[in-house]
Amino acid sequence: MKLAAYHKAQGDQVAWWEPSGRYDMVYKSRVFTDTYSKDTVAISNAEQVVQGGTGYGPGPDLPEAVEHICPNYSIYPQFSGTAYGFLTRGCPRQCPFCIVSGKEGRRSRHVADLSEFWKGQKEIKLLDPNLLACPDHERLLVQLAESRALVDFTQGLDIRLITPDNMALLNKVRTKAVHFAWDNPNEDLTGHFQRFLDLTTIKNFRKRKVYVLTNFGSTHQQDLYRVNTLRAMGFDPYVMIYERPTAPPITRHLQRWVNCKQIFHTVPHFADYLPARKEAR
């Protein structure tokens, strides 16, 4: 969307790529590697092809003139009414399963104010990897609160960095959903989650979501413990599988049981979930 806005500002014609057309330049984006998505689209009808995204490896980043332009939301009319963007980039955690620290840096830094990508839309999808680790995060939370838009913290806030001060600001944000993560089964985060519950004004558990990483050095018992503990505390867990093709069947069953909320709330015990019972026989 930023590339479209930049090129239109230069007087260029911008359109989605079609195999039958002819183009001066085509941008080709890829998020995942071959493990998840095969690169099967060959482009032979352009003078220049620019490939970007983590699926192709590090870089190139968007030029500064592009990075700080307001996105052209019109190219995705189905998402009209929603703003997407980053206020911060980078993360100090250096989790071994995550590319952010290596790609964006080992500290969370302010890269934009909300006004760069929000123009009054009713909803904001915030893509920051670790907003609360940024020294400017309280000022940025004020911007989100003053927007009065519904904010979805899509990538997760760091539950370990919750304080009374930033929770007082977070409580002023009109929150569509807040996401946290409990990735390391050997790290007990229950005290941090309880502190959030003690301070938050978000009473609907469906808005209190927690990613649970599986198939990355954890046992099924550790996965199930985190899921059950979060549910008992009043959070809504969501199972993420690292490299799903290598995951054992029981982990895939666990993901289905947890993430299909109709099943999760009608079958309270994983042992009673029919596919899991069959697997255990």
Side-chain angles (χ1 to χ4, degrees):
M1 290 187 286
K2 290 181 178 181
L3 286 166
Y6 175 79
H7 279 285
K8 286 186 177 183
Q10 308 307 308
D12 298 330
Q13 291 183 318
V14 178
W16 290 107
W17 174 82
E18 295 286 349
S20 59
R22 189 69 202 173
Y23 305 91
D24 297 312
M25 177 180 290
V26 170
Y27 290 95
K28 186 180 182 185
S29 177
R30 188 182 186 202
V31 177
F32 299 111
T33 61
D34 283 336
T35 303
Y36 294 97
S37 59
K38 303 298 181 183
D39 188 2
T40 58
V41 179
I43 297 174
S44 58
N45 57 342
E47 297 298 321
Q48 182 181 358
V49 177
V50 179
Q51 297 183 159
T54 53
Y56 290 117
D61 294 333
L62 293 177
E64 284 296 297
V66 179
E67 186 65 69
H68 294 284
I69 200 169
C70 184
N72 183 337
Y73 290 107
S74 69
I75 68 172
Y76 289 107
Q78 66 270 40
F79 300 123
S80 62
T82 304
Y84 293 80
F86 293 84
L87 297 173
T88 65
R89 295 273 195 172
C91 178
R93 292 297 181 185
Q94 303 178 58
C95 298
F97 54 83
C98 180
I99 66 169
V100 170
S101 294
K103 180 172 180 277
E104 300 182 2
R106 296 179 179 178
R107 65 183 182 90
S108 178
R109 68 195 188 281
H110 169 231
V111 296
D113 287 324
L114 183 61
S115 59
E116 282 197 17
F117 60 87
W118 176 73
K119 300 301 177 184
Q121 292 94 327
K122 294 181 180 180
E123 186 174 332
I124 297 169
K125 295 281 191 182
L126 202 63
L127 310 176
D128 298 40
N130 198 333
L131 173 65
L132 298 185
C134 177
D136 295 323
H137 76 270
E138 291 190 358
R139 181 173 64 84
L140 299 174
L141 286 174
V142 170
Q143 292 181 13
L144 292 169
E146 291 178 345
S147 75
R148 303 312 297 153
L150 276 174
V151 180
D152 186 351
F153 296 88
T154 64
Q155 302 306 301
L157 295 172
D158 193 331
I159 192 69
R160 294 159 290 192
L161 300 179
I162 290 293
T163 67
D165 288 340
N166 58 33
M167 273 305 306
L169 294 173
L170 188 60
N171 285 336
K172 295 179 180 180
V173 178
R174 292 185 66 223
T175 306
K176 181 174 183 179
V178 61
H179 294 79
F180 299 107
W182 191 351
D183 296 319
N184 185 351
N186 299 311
E187 185 176 12
D188 184 4
L189 299 181
T190 53
H192 297 287
F193 283 112
Q194 185 59 54
R195 178 170 57 185
F196 172 80
L197 291 175
D198 293 340
L199 297 171
T200 188
T201 58
I202 301 173
K203 301 306 180 183
N204 187 339
F205 79 95
R206 289 183 174 86
K207 292 185 177 183
R208 305 190 300 234
K209 301 180 182 295
V210 184
Y211 298 123
V212 178
L213 181 68
T214 64
N215 199 41
F216 193 85
S218 62
T219 65
H220 172 66
Q221 288 72 25
Q222 289 174 319
D223 298 339
L224 191 58
Y225 170 79
R226 284 177 289 162
V227 166
N228 288 335
T229 299
L230 289 166
R231 176 157 66 174
M233 294 185 74
F235 291 90
D236 189 14
Y238 186 88
V239 170
M240 307 286 285
I241 298 180
Y242 184 80
E243 293 188 348
R244 196 175 190 279
T246 69
I250 196 168
T251 302
R252 295 196 290 271
H253 293 322
L254 180 71
Q255 183 186 51
R256 169 76 174 165
W257 175 64
V258 173
N259 296 358
C260 182
K261 297 306 176 182
Q262 185 176 3
I263 298 174
F264 191 55
H265 295 302
T266 56
V267 183
H269 302 290
F270 180 66
D272 296 328
Y273 178 48
L274 185 58
R277 290 172 58 188
K278 291 180 177 178
E279 186 71 27
R281 292 172 182 170

